[in-house]
Amino acid sequence: MRCCSETDLGNGWNKRSGCNVWGESHINGVCHRGKTYTEAVDICESVGARLCTAQELLDDCPRGTGCNFDRDMNWSSTPGIEQPTTEYEYEAEYYSNGSGVSVKTNHAGYTGIGFVDYGGSGTYIEINNVNGGSGGVCSISTNYANGGSWTRSCKVSVNGVDQPGELSYPPTGAWNKWEDSNTLQVNCNPGTSNTIRITGITSGPNMNKVMVSVP
């Protein structure tokens, strides 16, 4: 990581031709590698400096200040561009295929005409014709209730391929209290040719809907 400053902070800080800032890599005499963004911000601010902007890095303003960082990726203070996404919602009770599950209406607060009550390990729902947008990495989460006392979990497969990680369902406090699960990154095909299967590992929750965000 490297820092920049509008003022000369002393020995080691260098102002290259064409730059309006001084740059340095040895912060308090130390080369800082493998730092998180927050850690890098704090280190620069501790000496009265800041992270360099992306343009200052592209202009090589801190170049030649040591630590062999000239060819490394470095944190910048320039905000990234958030890529737009579209979210599609699928009511769980309209699943295409399933095993060991049933549609119930005995707990209030759900959307649609009901919710899916999972059974034990290996029970699942499968939703066909899921929109994967332009394809690539999609995000999947679910709206659920868990009135039990222990965390339940499900695995996800997309188009027959098991995806890494699992959906986790901590207790929500009551069967009529609905919350969103964690989010998994999965691989989707472009268009509406995707099939998502959500399978209980221990036992699934009561599932209200499935949300898929796509690029």
Side-chain angles (χ1 to χ4, degrees):
M1 57 152 287
R2 290 172 150 171
C3 301
C4 287
S5 173
E6 280 76 17
T7 59
D8 186 355
L9 296 178
N11 186 36
W13 288 81
N14 181 50
K15 186 177 183 181
R16 290 175 60 84
S17 175
C19 293
N20 296 319
V21 296
W22 283 260
E24 175 62 297
S25 299
H26 291 94
I27 310 304
N28 286 328
V30 178
C31 295
H32 297 275
R33 292 184 180 273
K35 300 299 182 181
T36 66
Y37 174 79
T38 300
E39 290 171 336
V41 168
D42 289 343
I43 291 168
C44 289
E45 290 182 349
S46 72
V47 295
R50 58 170 173 77
L51 287 179
C52 303
T53 66
Q55 190 60 54
E56 289 164 351
L57 292 172
L58 290 172
D59 290 343
D60 284 337
C61 291
R63 184 177 181 83
T65 56
C67 297
N68 295 316
F69 286 164
D70 286 347
R71 295 185 178 181
D72 285 3
M73 299 291 288
N74 288 278
W75 288 115
S76 122
S77 60
T78 304
I81 300 174
E82 186 174 348
Q83 296 298 317
T85 60
T86 302
E87 181 175 275
Y88 296 96
E89 294 187 351
Y90 301 89
E91 291 290 336
E93 67 273 18
Y94 290 121
Y95 62 86
S96 305
N97 298 292
S99 176
V101 299
S102 57
V103 176
K104 300 284 184 65
T105 59
N106 57 322
H107 298 298
Y110 57 83
T111 57
I113 63 171
F115 58 87
V116 170
D117 185 351
Y118 270 76
S121 176
T123 59
Y124 69 87
I125 63 169
E126 194 172 83
I127 302 175
N128 295 337
N129 304 317
V130 174
N131 196 324
S134 59
V137 177
C138 301
S139 300
I140 179 172
S141 61
T142 55
N143 185 253
Y144 77 100
N146 178 4
S149 60
W150 51 279
T151 297
R152 305 180 181 210
S153 57
C154 289
K155 62 182 179 180
V156 176
S157 67
V158 180
N159 303 320
V161 179
D162 289 341
Q163 303 296 307
E166 60 186 49
L167 293 170
S168 179
Y169 301 104
T172 58
W175 289 110
N176 61 358
K177 185 177 181 182
W178 303 87
E179 297 182 0
D180 291 344
S181 72
N182 62 310
T183 300
L184 288 185
Q185 305 298 309
V186 301
N187 293 310
C188 294
N189 292 331
T192 57
S193 62
N194 296 279
T195 296
I196 292 178
R197 178 179 289 197
I198 303 175
T199 305
I201 297 175
T202 49
S203 179
N206 285 352
M207 191 175 296
N208 179 32
K209 59 185 175 182
V210 178
M211 295 88 75
V212 181
S213 293
V214 302

